[in-house]
Amino acid sequence: MEEKRLEEKIGKIPEIFKELKETDPDLYGRVMGLDQMIWADGALSKQTKKVIAIAIAAALRDEHAVRAQLAGAGKLGVKKEEIEEGLRVAFLLAGMPAYVYGKTALEEYLGNRPKR
């Protein structure tokens, strides 16, 4: 059940989490608890947090994280325009590579650009 909820939130469960559940169930439980706390609606909505996560992942140029967060954003109904605005903030703070990286991943995710 936890894995299903995680998959709904982030789009794809990294293999490391599946392995962690088997190798260190206590740590896995703590990570999942933190995950639930962080992603819960609070002063910021889940959708806003997802845009922030995409911008951070793009700034770090983390391919797996960008794609996973984009998939999760789609499941939460985050609009393309919201993601693009978040990427512009990443551009301002992290430079052109962050924007290009995130924008390319977004266009690939939406099917508007062939995958590299």
Side-chain angles (χ1 to χ4, degrees), residues 80-88 99 103 106-107:
K80 176 184 178 187
E81 296 78 15
E82 294 171 306
I83 294 168
E84 288 179 339
E85 193 167 322
L87 291 172
R88 287 192 292 274
Y99 178 78
K103 180 74 170 159
L106 175 62
E107 293 299 322

Side-chain angles (χ1 to χ4, degrees), residues 2 8 18 24 31 41 64 89 116:
E2 288 174 353
E8 288 171 0
K18 292 177 183 177
D24 194 341
V31 169
D41 283 321
H64 173 77
V89 172
R116 313 175 247 143

Side-chain angles (χ1 to χ4, degrees), residues 13-109:
I13 301 171
E15 287 298 317
I16 189 109
F17 285 122
K18 292 177 183 177
E19 293 168 7
L20 188 61
K21 186 175 184 179
E22 299 299 319
T23 60
D24 194 341
D26 184 50
L27 179 57
Y28 175 83
R30 291 171 189 266
V31 169
M32 291 300 106
L34 180 61
D35 178 81
Q36 290 174 8
M37 182 194 78
I38 297 295
W39 287 110
D41 283 321
L44 298 174
S45 69
K46 291 175 190 170
Q47 292 83 356
T48 299
K49 291 177 184 183
K50 193 57 73 174
V51 171
I52 292 168
I54 293 166
I56 291 169
L60 295 172
R61 292 186 282 292
D62 182 334
E63 182 178 349
H64 173 77
V66 169
R67 294 185 189 293
Q69 295 301 330
L70 284 169
K75 292 179 182 204
L76 289 173
V78 177
K79 296 179 182 78
K80 176 184 178 187
E81 296 78 15
E82 294 171 306
I83 294 168
E84 288 179 339
E85 193 167 322
L87 291 172
R88 287 192 292 274
V89 172
F91 169 55
L92 180 62
L93 297 173
M96 180 62 84
Y99 178 78
V100 171
Y101 191 89
K103 180 74 170 159
T104 300
L106 175 62
E107 293 299 322
E108 288 173 358
Y109 175 75

